[in-house]
Amino acid sequence: MRINFSCMFGFLVRLSLASAKLEPNYTSPSGVQVFNPSSFFNATGPWSLMSIAGDTLYISGMRGIYPSNSTLAPVGLSRVRQAYQNMATLAEMAGSDIFSCARLVVYVTDMFRYRPMCNQVQVELWGDDSNKYPPRTIIEVNRLNDDDIVEVEGTFYISL
């Protein structure tokens, strides 16, 4: 039996982060809640990690940053997997889950190299049943923040 320790570690980190109490950093007059959980890495500019409007959760483009120390995972599959894990963790913190994902947008700097890795991680998360895959747009871009390779943003349903 093979155990993937990086996946196991990622799961344990997600579990501990997801159990933290989530409080909005700001609530607009119309009720939109903005979040930058203190147990996660900090947003590195004038943006937030996620927001909730009604029963919809919007998660900003997640990169392969380890929440525990705010460093990037190694380039390649580890970084792609961490980006998706960050998005999944935030969804769980907000009371949703990956199976309530309504839409994904993925940005990669090299479609040929990184699209197959994104596909692999999505199968790891959502399983082999293609009926469970959320709609996804994947876009090749010239450059991402800090010359990163992937960014994953998600829109999720939250049951109120």
Side-chain angles (χ1 to χ4, degrees):
M1 179 168 127
R2 291 181 68 198
I3 298 175
N4 185 333
F5 287 104
S6 69
C7 281
M8 181 63 78
F9 177 74
F11 172 76
L12 292 174
V13 169
R14 282 188 9 223
L15 183 64
S16 66
L17 290 173
S19 63
K21 181 153 174 45
L22 189 63
E23 295 289 334
N25 295 83
Y26 171 76
T27 301
S28 76
S30 61
V32 175
Q33 297 177 314
V34 177
F35 299 88
N36 286 305
S38 60
S39 59
F40 224 68
F41 57 81
N42 293 326
T44 56
W47 57 279
S48 295
L49 296 175
M50 63 181 168
S51 65
I52 297 174
D55 60 1
T56 305
L57 168 66
Y58 302 93
I59 297 178
S60 294
M62 289 291 104
R63 297 168 50 215
I65 299 171
Y66 294 123
S68 60
N69 61 14
S70 297
T71 61
L72 284 167
V75 171
L77 185 59
S78 296
R79 188 170 301 175
V80 172
R81 185 177 284 122
Q82 187 63 47
Y84 276 88
Q85 287 176 342
N86 288 341
M87 181 191 64
T89 298
L90 288 171
E92 291 168 7
M93 289 174 79
S96 190
D97 60 58
I98 61 167
F99 294 103
S100 297
C101 184
R103 182 167 194 261
L104 291 175
V105 180
V106 180
Y107 303 93
V108 294
T109 55
D110 184 328
M111 188 73 74
F112 180 76
R113 282 201 322 204
Y114 301 124
R115 182 177 174 268
M117 293 179 197
C118 291
N119 290 345
Q120 178 180 336
V121 171
Q122 284 189 221
V123 169
E124 289 172 9
L125 290 172
W126 279 275
D128 287 326
D129 183 354
S130 62
N131 293 312
K132 294 182 180 179
Y133 299 153
R136 177 186 82 182
T137 300
I138 187 165
I139 303 164
E140 183 174 337
V141 296
N142 287 331
R143 195 167 182 193
L144 290 168
N145 189 32
D146 293 330
D147 292 320
D148 209 344
I149 62 169
V150 66
E151 223 174 87
V152 183
E153 69 180 53
T155 304
F156 294 79
Y157 172 75
I158 299 177
S159 179
L160 299 177

